[in-house]
Amino acid sequence: MKYQLIKDIIDLVEEFEAENDNNEDVSMHAFRDWLAASNTVAKNKELPGWIGKEKGRSPESVINTLLVHLNRYAKSYSKSAIFGSSFSTQEDFIYLINLKAFGEMSKMDLIKKNVHEKPVGMQIINRLIEQNWVTQKDSLKDKRQKVISITQSGISALEMQMDKIRMATDIVSGNLTSNEKMELIRLLKKLNHFHLPIYEKNLDSKNLLNEAYEHLHSSREMNKISSN
């Protein structure tokens, strides 16, 4: 009996797990999405071009620039979504969405969930308290901490803008096909899993770049070992 097909499937599963070694979701559903996205990439073997490529501009430079530009596009759509409302910034409604979805949490947990520095996060939370959109109380686990939760007023303010917020969210993904969205999600999740442990160390600016670079090389070495 020939087992080549089974061997090929096992090889694919090993490749999937190697690329998602930091991802908790290694289910059959996740594998199917990864396989579909991989097939899409395989069908388009032509390497992309970019401005400055012939002069040696690196793909890393292009990725960084495009991510910055996409963030700015997303912010402009969010700004339009809250125009004429009581929201000051997109961070205001993002904080409320997190509180509505995940329930009450400490101020620092909410700030970390949104990948903000403490001073910026506290300004946002204070704005929400002033608007009576969130309320705070002493934590039962740690009296030194305050736990915040969304109020009914906050839920109402959020619901009034949700249609426009959803429109802005839809626009950001542009004209990507379903398979392209799955591939983009997979790649962005992989990047997020790389950067999150660095962020959680709360390093100061003096040491951040060097330690992040060490983490990068360590991660690349692990990928080489996994692929061998």
Side-chain angles (χ1 to χ4, degrees):
M1 184 179 293
K2 296 181 180 180
Y3 296 96
Q4 187 58 48
L5 178 59
I6 296 175
K7 291 178 181 178
D8 291 343
I9 292 173
I10 292 174
D11 288 342
L12 282 172
V13 172
E14 288 180 351
E15 184 180 348
F16 165 68
E17 291 185 340
E19 290 190 15
N20 295 272
D21 55 343
N22 293 322
N23 189 356
E24 294 181 359
D25 186 7
V26 289
S27 63
M28 177 60 72
H29 180 75
F31 174 69
R32 186 180 63 205
D33 288 342
W34 173 85
L35 193 61
S38 298
N39 288 336
T40 300
V41 173
K43 290 177 181 177
N44 185 15
K45 293 182 179 180
E46 184 180 353
L47 294 176
W50 57 82
I51 296 174
K53 184 178 183 180
E54 67 283 353
K55 295 183 179 180
R57 187 185 183 193
S58 69
E60 291 81 8
S61 171
V62 177
I63 291 170
N64 187 71
T65 299
L66 291 176
L67 287 175
V68 170
H69 287 181
L70 285 169
N71 180 54
R72 290 173 181 166
Y73 300 148
K75 282 188 174 181
S76 68
Y77 295 131
S78 294
K79 185 177 180 180
S80 179
I82 62 175
F83 181 79
S85 73
S86 299
F87 289 102
S88 300
T89 66
Q90 67 170 349
E91 282 79 14
D92 291 359
F93 69 75
I94 290 174
Y95 272 48
L96 289 182
I97 288 172
N98 278 313
L99 286 173
K100 184 180 179 183
F102 300 106
E104 67 178 25
M105 64 184 79
S106 71
K107 291 181 178 180
M108 283 310 303
D109 284 343
L110 181 58
I111 292 170
K112 288 180 179 179
K113 187 174 286 294
N114 289 279
V115 198
H116 275 139
E117 294 182 354
K118 184 177 179 180
V120 175
M122 291 303 296
Q123 286 181 354
I124 297 167
I125 290 172
N126 289 336
R127 277 203 305 270
L128 297 179
I129 292 173
E130 289 174 4
Q131 290 278 9
N132 195 33
W133 289 341
V134 302
T135 185
Q136 61 180 334
K137 62 182 179 181
D138 291 333
S139 170
L140 296 177
K141 296 180 180 179
D142 187 348
K143 296 296 183 182
R144 297 170 298 179
Q145 286 189 337
K146 294 288 187 180
V147 174
I148 58 176
S149 57
I150 189 169
T151 64
Q152 186 56 51
S153 178
I155 293 173
S156 298
L158 196 57
E159 289 177 346
M160 286 179 64
Q161 295 301 124
M162 278 310 298
D163 285 344
K164 289 186 176 180
I165 292 170
R166 291 190 183 98
M167 285 174 62
T169 302
D170 286 342
I171 294 169
V172 170
S173 59
N175 60 347
L176 295 179
T177 66
S178 179
N179 282 340
E180 288 170 339
K181 289 176 185 177
M182 294 303 104
E183 171 65 3
L184 182 59
I185 289 171
R186 185 183 71 81
L187 293 174
L188 292 177
K189 284 178 68 177
K190 185 173 183 178
L191 277 176
N192 187 65
H193 283 300
F194 169 82
H195 291 290
L196 185 59
I198 302 171
Y199 167 76
E200 290 180 335
K201 289 182 179 179
N202 198 28
L203 300 167
D204 57 45
S205 298
K206 179 181 178 180
N207 301 316
L208 175 60
L209 197 59
N210 287 334
E211 293 210 25
Y213 206 65
E214 289 179 9
H215 181 73
L216 171 63
H217 280 281
S218 176
S219 178
R220 285 176 175 173
E221 287 299 319
M222 289 179 62
N223 284 342
K224 288 180 182 178
I225 294 171
S226 299
S227 62
N228 291 335

